[in-house]
Amino acid sequence: MSYHVNEKGFYGQFGGAYVPEMLYPNVEELRQNYLRIIQEPDFQEELQLLLKDYVGRPTPLYFAPRLSEKYNTKVYLKREDLNHTGAHKINNTIGQVLLAKRLGKKRIIAETGAGQHGVATATVCALMGLECIVYMGEVDIERQAPNVARMKMLGAQVVPATSGSKTLKDATNEAIRDWINNPEDTYYIIGSVVGPHPYPDMVARFQAVISEEMRAQLLEKEGTENPKYVIACVGGGSNAAGAFYHYLDEPNVELIAVEAAGKGIDSGESAATSILGKDGIIHGSRTLLMQTEDGQVTEPYSISAGLDYPGVGPLHAHLFVSGRAKFMNATDEEALQAVLELTRLEGIIPALESAHALAVLNRLGAKPEEIVVINLSGRGDKDLSTYLKHFHFDEQ
Amino acid sequence: MNNRIKNLFANKPKGLLSVYFTAGFPSLNDTETVILELEKNGVDLIEVGMPFSDPLADGPTIQQSSTVALRNGMTIPKLFEQLQGIRQKTDIPLVLMGYLNPVMQYGVERFCQKAGEIGIDGIILPDLPLREYVDEYKAIFEKYNLSKVFLITPQTPEERIREIDSHTNGFIYMVSSASTTGKTLGLAEQSQAYFQRVASMKLQNPGVIGFGIHDNETFASACNHASGAIIGSAFVKALQQEGSLQENISTFIKSIKH
């Protein structure tokens, strides 16, 4: 079975480009050009240099001794939290902004949930001298204030999305509407492996550097490129796509995608799309989608703004349905406990999103000699106020 | 080709007025009243909007009316129930407009069959791409005698316009400018050039211009370049005025056609 996109833009039954005619020329321009441009030597040269000197790649693959001891297995953390701007998101925004420049675009738009993609977009726009507009749900603007401040500092205009649940889904709707209204000078940097083809494939390719480095680093440290498990959290699924990419065709590597269960799968307040969703269309892509019987998109919930999304990238829908990846989930509470655990055992404060991946370590069933790589997709600075409040450190 | 749409364009090749409204708005059971009042006031074709939670191609007015309609309880089964028997009361061409996901969940074939039985004439689903339509759904739409109406925009290349023209059999929905619905900037100079370019292509399907048409002036201007024009957001706004539905509809249509 193939886990890569086919020439029509599908992963199995999922994917495609279900966009209104108003977006057809933009999406088509991208589809016809993206592979050619990103394979050009001068593009690769510029990209690799920026990833190294600006982003700070390669990111370390850190053996976590106390975490390993606690769970009696070999735990490595892929330190995407050490990237410039604090998360894996910049791997993609650097790539896409270089593409946008080669397509002659002057104005950049983006959606953001936790604000990490918004910050990463605002950052590369500052670097390239491009106008930047970021759409962000009103609810997320409130719960991720530090990132809003960073975007403003970087010169981006942050536009609140006030429709629907006022979170990532609605911010994405607004960004797409902006693109419809500005089809010629504007480039839309999507932050995850979602949206119409070619976005899911393009974003996965830019994030694939994560697993490319993992392979080389594991070879050096363990004498094998392949771990037993790769674990990543999944909202739209960009960090997971990057962490899985070079292992998709290695059947001995178990891929674990961890979704946000919110207050519990059956609580009505959850974002675990693989369990709660069914085949549908959102943001131009056919994928698994949380929806009512009548096909109306339902409001997801997670304490983590970056996982608070009712769909999932079409690659992940395919990995789920085909059984290639195992889907697990963690509740808000479990994620918060995992935050504190990593902080106190290893001295690393993770983002709430990434903590979902850490939270399944206790039920993985990994053996002592097995290697577990967890993609630590981002750092927790943006979530500090949530942490202080939850653990009552603000009262001490 | 569907007979009601065909006859309409044959009998009235110019100056045709098409109106969109969101089913279930302002109140759940207004659907039939709105249709009959629009016909009484001389509207030629009606687009019945099927509300969706995430209407990507729509601006704030239609988003808002969709939210209200969904909150009122509008669903596809409910709409079909309301439209059952509509053909005993009116012969005006009726087109259903909405987004693909709710139709997919209802079942595309079941949807087309039911629409055909009721006497619906055409379907507009902006996010159903031409390629998927041709490969998977065209035979179903034709089996139930439904015209699939496609949108074109100023950015649509000539070759693709011709391809769309060859796969549709009702009319072509000419989006006036690059925008979501409900912008009221008027019809720009570039739009005129685009209208003329499309007119000179001598397509087999008539063209109707929509998006941004909101008053007598924009309606008349659009009618100079195509068989007619479509009004959506401006009409949905008019339905929110104080006064009865009947009065609001009559006042609004008079203001467009005077």
Side-chain angles (χ1 to χ4, degrees):
Chain A
M1 180 172 298
S2 169
Y3 302 108
H4 296 273
V5 78
N6 69 20
E7 70 286 354
K8 286 182 167 176
F10 282 84
Y11 300 87
Q13 61 179 303
F14 301 110
Y18 294 83
V19 294
E21 192 62 30
M22 292 80 97
L23 284 180
Y24 179 82
N26 305 33
V27 172
E28 188 60 12
E29 178 186 31
L30 206 52
R31 188 186 70 81
Q32 287 177 3
N33 292 299
Y34 83 110
L35 283 179
R36 175 181 61 76
I37 293 176
I38 66 181
Q39 284 162 2
E40 278 168 4
D42 76 307
F43 179 94
Q44 277 301 323
E45 198 179 319
E46 195 176 354
L47 175 66
Q48 296 310 330
L49 191 69
L50 282 169
L51 287 178
K52 178 169 171 281
D53 292 343
Y54 187 73
V55 177
R57 302 205 71 95
T59 58
L61 183 71
Y62 167 69
F63 176 71
R66 298 186 67 205
L67 205 59
S68 296
E69 192 187 348
K70 173 157 186 188
Y71 292 105
N72 196 24
T73 186
K74 288 163 107 169
V75 181
Y76 281 91
L77 302 176
K78 181 59 174 161
R79 299 291 309 273
E80 292 300 300
D81 60 317
L82 293 178
N83 283 320
H84 178 41
T85 72
H88 69 290
K89 291 291 187 187
I90 198 162
N91 301 332
N92 168 48
T93 60
I94 287 265
Q96 285 201 55
V97 85
L98 293 178
L99 188 63
K101 280 190 76 166
R102 278 163 174 78
L103 291 171
K105 307 293 178 177
K106 307 272 178 260
R107 182 175 172 271
I108 301 292
I109 57 171
E111 84 296 338
T112 197
Q116 287 301 129
H117 174 60
V119 168
T121 304
T123 298
V124 298
C125 286
L127 177 68
M128 300 290 166
L130 293 169
E131 183 187 356
C132 180
I133 295 105
V134 179
Y135 291 89
M136 187 169 189
E138 215 171 39
V139 168
D140 294 337
I141 286 181
E142 225 163 275
R143 61 178 163 173
Q144 305 277 228
N147 276 343
V148 177
R150 291 165 82 197
M151 284 185 269
K152 288 183 177 167
M153 184 73 196
L154 288 159
Q157 185 192 344
V158 181
V159 182
T162 56
S163 58
S165 56
K166 304 178 175 59
T167 61
L168 180 53
K169 159 179 92 81
D170 313 287
T172 308
N173 288 342
E174 290 307 324
I176 292 175
R177 289 185 185 117
D178 181 311
W179 208 21
I180 289 175
N181 284 288
N182 299 284
E184 286 176 347
D185 63 338
T186 298
Y187 183 95
Y188 179 19
I189 300 189
I190 295 185
S192 192
V193 286
V194 302
H197 176 67
Y199 279 102
D201 181 52
M202 179 167 64
V203 176
R205 284 169 186 266
F206 287 134
Q207 292 295 356
V209 65
I210 298 173
S211 48
E212 189 185 322
E213 289 174 6
M214 276 183 194
R215 296 196 74 144
Q217 290 165 325
L218 275 179
L219 185 64
E220 191 192 309
K221 290 173 196 292
E222 292 283 348
T224 170
E225 291 180 317
N226 294 350
K228 179 67 186 171
Y229 301 96
V230 179
I231 309 178
C233 65
V234 172
S238 70
N239 92 78
F244 295 169
Y245 197 87
H246 290 283
Y247 293 115
L248 290 170
D249 300 315
E250 296 282 358
N252 293 329
V253 179
E254 291 192 28
L255 308 176
I256 313 276
V258 186
E259 294 180 310
K263 294 182 179 169
I265 295 292
D266 301 318
S267 67
E269 293 183 82
S270 178
T273 306
S274 68
I275 297 172
L276 300 170
K278 57 184 175 172
D279 191 0
I281 288 166
I282 185 170
H283 299 143
S285 179
R286 185 166 181 167
T287 188
L288 294 172
L289 168 63
M290 291 169 56
Q291 54 185 311
T292 65
E293 223 171 88
D294 300 312
Q296 307 297 341
V297 181
T298 49
E299 313 290 354
Y301 165 81
S302 166
I303 192 173
S304 141
L307 304 181
D308 199 352
Y309 186 68
V312 65
L315 162 66
H316 295 297
H318 180 51
L319 294 179
F320 173 72
V321 168
S322 66
R324 175 64 190 94
K326 179 177 177 184
F327 277 63
M328 300 177 77
N329 57 76
T331 63
D332 291 354
E333 191 54 43
E334 289 166 334
L336 284 160
Q337 286 311 316
V339 167
L340 194 60
E341 181 178 271
L342 186 72
T343 304
R344 296 296 166 89
L345 285 180
E346 301 287 349
I348 298 170
I349 305 175
L352 260 173
E353 289 75 18
S354 323
H356 285 72
L358 295 160
V360 301
L361 260 180
N362 62 356
R363 45 199 142 100
L364 196 61
K367 300 194 182 88
E369 71 283 4
E370 288 175 340
I371 300 167
V372 181
V373 178
I374 298 172
N375 196 35
L376 197 66
S377 55
R379 63 177 176 242
D381 308 29
K382 68 185 177 59
D383 298 310
L384 276 183
S385 69
T386 304
Y387 298 164
L388 290 178
K389 204 152 76 189
H390 183 81
F391 297 113
H392 305 290
F393 297 143
D394 51 349
E395 295 160 13
Q396 291 167 16
Chain B
M1 187 192 278
N2 181 285
N3 284 333
R4 271 184 291 264
I5 293 181
K6 184 178 162 184
N7 291 340
L8 172 65
F9 285 92
N11 297 333
K12 190 172 181 181
K14 287 306 268 183
L16 182 152
L17 173 60
S18 175
V19 169
Y20 166 98
F21 74 101
T22 306
F25 178 87
S27 302
L28 179 61
N29 294 315
D30 288 338
T31 310
E32 186 181 296
T33 313
V34 174
I35 291 172
L36 297 179
E37 287 298 316
L38 284 171
E39 187 191 27
K40 205 169 92 186
N41 283 279
V43 166
D44 302 296
L45 189 152
I46 298 172
E47 290 166 29
V48 183
M50 303 178 285
F52 180 48
S53 55
D54 294 75
L56 286 181
D58 288 301
T61 304
I62 293 177
Q63 286 174 44
Q64 177 62 21
S65 68
S66 302
T67 305
V68 172
L70 290 173
R71 207 181 294 143
N72 288 342
M74 183 49 74
T75 62
I76 289 175
K78 184 78 200 166
L79 179 62
F80 282 154
E81 189 189 308
Q82 292 176 344
L83 292 174
Q84 198 76 49
I86 193 76
R87 284 303 171 210
Q88 273 94 61
K89 295 176 183 165
T90 174
D91 245 346
I92 193 167
L94 292 172
V95 172
L96 297 181
M97 182 166 187
Y99 290 81
L100 181 56
N101 195 54
V103 173
M104 210 174 114
Q105 302 308 322
Y106 188 86
V108 175
E109 171 130 27
R110 183 172 164 230
F111 177 85
C112 289
Q113 184 184 3
K114 193 75 191 162
E117 278 169 21
I118 287 169
I120 298 298
D121 304 293
I123 309 288
I124 308 178
L125 299 169
D127 58 346
L128 172 58
L130 181 65
R131 182 59 34 217
E132 269 69 20
Y133 170 71
V134 172
D135 291 350
E136 288 173 43
Y137 301 127
K138 190 178 173 185
I140 301 173
F141 278 67
E142 288 179 348
K143 180 172 161 192
Y144 298 103
N145 200 23
L146 294 166
S147 292
K148 173 70 175 71
V149 178
F150 283 97
L151 277 56
I152 63 170
T153 80
Q155 282 76 32
T156 312
E158 176 169 343
E159 194 187 339
R160 185 164 167 88
I161 294 177
R162 293 210 180 275
E163 198 186 354
I164 286 169
D165 188 45
S166 75
H167 287 295
T168 189
N169 55 0
F171 60 94
I172 288 179
Y173 192 134
M174 297 167 61
V175 176
S176 63
S177 63
S179 88
T180 42
T181 57
K183 292 277 159 81
T184 53
L185 299 170
L187 301 177
E189 285 290 314
Q190 313 94 286
S191 299
Q192 314 282 341
Y194 148 67
F195 299 151
Q196 280 157 16
R197 177 166 62 87
V198 176
S200 71
M201 286 175 70
K202 307 277 177 231
L203 302 173
Q204 58 159 349
N205 287 282
V208 182
I209 296 171
F211 284 45
I213 315 298
H214 62 280
D215 57 12
N216 171 262
E217 191 191 335
T218 45
F219 174 66
S221 165
C223 286
N224 283 333
H225 298 286
S227 296
I230 303 165
I231 299 184
S233 298
F235 178 67
V236 170
K237 259 186 211 156
L239 293 182
Q240 301 171 42
Q241 303 299 315
E242 282 186 31
S244 73
L245 212 48
Q246 284 81 354
E247 282 164 10
N248 287 339
I249 293 172
S250 152
T251 308
F252 181 78
I253 301 302
K254 282 198 181 84
S255 78
I256 299 299
K257 294 183 70 149
H258 74 106

